[in-house]
Amino acid sequence: MVLAPVLFVLMGISNGFWGGQFADRPLLAIGSAAVMAALAIVVYVTFVRFVERRPVSELARAPLARELGGGLLGGAGLYTLCVLILMVLGVYRVDGINPFLLILPSIAMAISSSVFEELLHRGVIFRNLEELAGSWIALLVSALIFGLRHLGNPEGTLIGALAITVEAGLLLAALFILTRRLWLSIGFHMGWNFVQSGIYSGSVSGAFEQPGLSKSTLEGPEFLTGGSFGMEGSVVAFGLCTLAGLVALHRAARRGNLVPWTFKLR
């Protein structure tokens, strides 16, 4: 777990660049987020190769384009499905289109959040716990850590954090177990966060809220809208993401990718 605090510090530095120093210069924000994300991957790979002394199979390059692209489409598509359901329910309404350049800040946010959080929560926390105690304990503990971390967001709520624990903690870990690589979960995380803010102008887990491409109105009961926390706090997102996570977990189990419960000290 030595790698976790290093990645956490790098994530804080990255956030300081794209969300602080370059907040009003979106192209520099995107560049800084991409550079810091690449640095985090280099640090991760170097640590695994020279400290853990094993191949970095979870970041294998051959399936990168296919799995990252599939994840991007999956995350964007599932969020769009949530929006369509809310439109049918009369909760979400598009009133117009904003200037295209307003999507740029969301690109920086999506790059940084997806790469750093997946390296940290699935690449380090889940993987190490799984080696120690098996897939089920690792899934439970890593999902709880992932969800409760969101309590520290400016608009973080207990309901939102608990919802993320189940819906995202389960789904993102299941995608990792399914492929035994990080690209699919990184892509899904990135695609979801980008369209949430950059296309549909929603709040991302109570931490990032800026106008995106659509001039939209989200009004209705908080259990449908997610309130100030964003779509992750909605029962619609909770239901769809949890279902997707269970399907991915079932497929992973059929492939024999689940590690049975164990406990071993290294």
Side-chain angles (χ1 to χ4, degrees), residues 47-102:
F47 184 91
V48 170
R49 282 182 176 172
F50 294 101
V51 178
E52 297 186 13
R53 296 184 180 277
R54 64 172 180 84
V56 196
S57 57
E58 64 269 33
L59 289 174
R61 286 178 291 179
L64 188 161
R66 181 182 72 254
E67 292 180 359
L68 186 66
L72 284 167
L73 290 174
L78 192 58
Y79 190 87
T80 298
L81 180 57
C82 292
V83 168
L84 291 175
I85 291 173
L86 292 181
M87 290 179 71
V88 170
L89 295 175
V91 173
Y92 184 93
R93 184 178 73 251
V94 176
D95 303 311
I97 302 297
N98 285 319
F100 183 78
L101 290 178
L102 287 183

Side-chain angles (χ1 to χ4, degrees), residues 76 79-80 83 92 94 194-202 212-214 216:
Y79 190 87
T80 298
V83 168
Y92 184 93
V94 176
F194 169 69
V195 299
Q196 183 170 15
S197 175
I199 304 300
Y200 298 112
S201 303
L213 189 61
S214 65
S216 58

